[in-house]
Each structure stands twice: as C-alpha cells, then as structure tokens.
Amino acid sequence: MAKKNLSKEQKETLLETLRNRFSKNMNRHKDLEWNPIERKLLENPEKLWSLNEMEITDGEPDVVGIDEATGEFLFFDCSPESPKRRSLCYDYQAWNARKANKPEGNAIDKAAEMGVEILTEEQYRKLQELGKFDLKTSSWIKTPEKIRQMGGAVFCDRRYDTVFLYHNGAESYYAARGFRGCLKV
C-alpha cells in the first residue's frame, strides 16, 4: 500500500493553496477561521494526504462547514465542474458486471483509495447553495441501497439554475461524469 504522507514541501504547498482558497471563498465558511483548521490538519497527516489527492485531481477542496454531530470540519470538492476523476461507473459490483468496454474504475473505490466519501444528495445540495457547480458535468452521489439493489445509481448536476437528481444503470460511465468527495477532519 502506498505511503499516505506528504513531504514537507508538499505539505507546505498544499496548506498554502488551501489557506488561499479559504480566504478567497469566505462565503463557503462565514463563521470559521483558518488557524484551528490548519492545526487540525497538521495533527492528521493522513487527512492532508487525502486533501492532496483531491487537489491533484482538480477537486479544489475547501471547507464548507462543520459536521454538527462530530464537530469535524467538512471539506468538499469545490471545483466548478466535476473533478478530473471521471469515466467511472458507480461501484465495483457495477464495474465487475460490465462484459465489455470496462471503464478504468469506479467512483466508490476511487473515493475510498483517496480516503474520502462521495457526497450524499443532502451534501450535494448544500454545496450548490454555496455556488454554481456542475453546469456542464455531473457527479455520482451516494445511492440509496434500495436503488442500488435494483441495479441503479444516482447522480446530480445543475441546469437551468436548478439542481437535478437523475438515475442511471450503475454500470454506466461518461466522460463528463465524475464524483465529488467529502473529507471530515
């Protein structure tokens, strides 16, 4: 398994990027200050590694609030379009079921490899309250078990200034559909 630590230089570069993004987008986290977030990140190097994975796939992770149940800071992918982890079917079961033209992988396993979870519908809608995302792309979201058991999966996007929830076969994949990650720190 790959080492999940960043070099000192990578850590400094990432923290500077995150600090600058935090400052430029205060509407996403009005009542929060950067210093406590940075302290928490430095105490959790594996979380920094996950944020770096989000960053290098053009996810533009940023703090969007605090998980009220746990008190953890929430980072979501805040890139205007779905990050550059696309052409993925929903999960391993769907990937494995494809007989031909298998994609490179699947969203659920890729998120787990990165140490993040894909957004729920509620989280996706919260993100859309902070800006306009996925105007040209779409993002897989956590699919309810009943839908998944029937072979489906769900995704969202924003069109006509409205957030839409759609369905597809879980084995489908498209160049314009990826997933957005959530990391709790």
Side-chain angles (χ1 to χ4, degrees), residues 52-61 77-88 104-107 110-111 113-114 134 136-140 174-181:
N52 195 60
E53 291 295 297
M54 294 168 82
E55 187 66 33
I56 62 177
T57 54
D58 295 335
E60 300 180 22
D77 283 310
C78 292
S79 55
E81 300 300 337
S82 193
K84 303 289 190 247
R85 39 189 123 98
R86 300 184 191 159
S87 295
L88 302 168
E104 184 178 306
N106 69 81
K110 179 69 175 165
E113 288 168 16
M114 296 171 62
D134 284 336
K136 298 176 189 166
T137 57
S138 61
S139 297
W140 287 116
Y174 299 92
R177 182 174 311 144
F179 70 91
R180 292 177 179 276

Side-chain angles (χ1 to χ4, degrees), residues 52 148 161:
N52 195 60
R148 187 60 200 96
D161 205 26

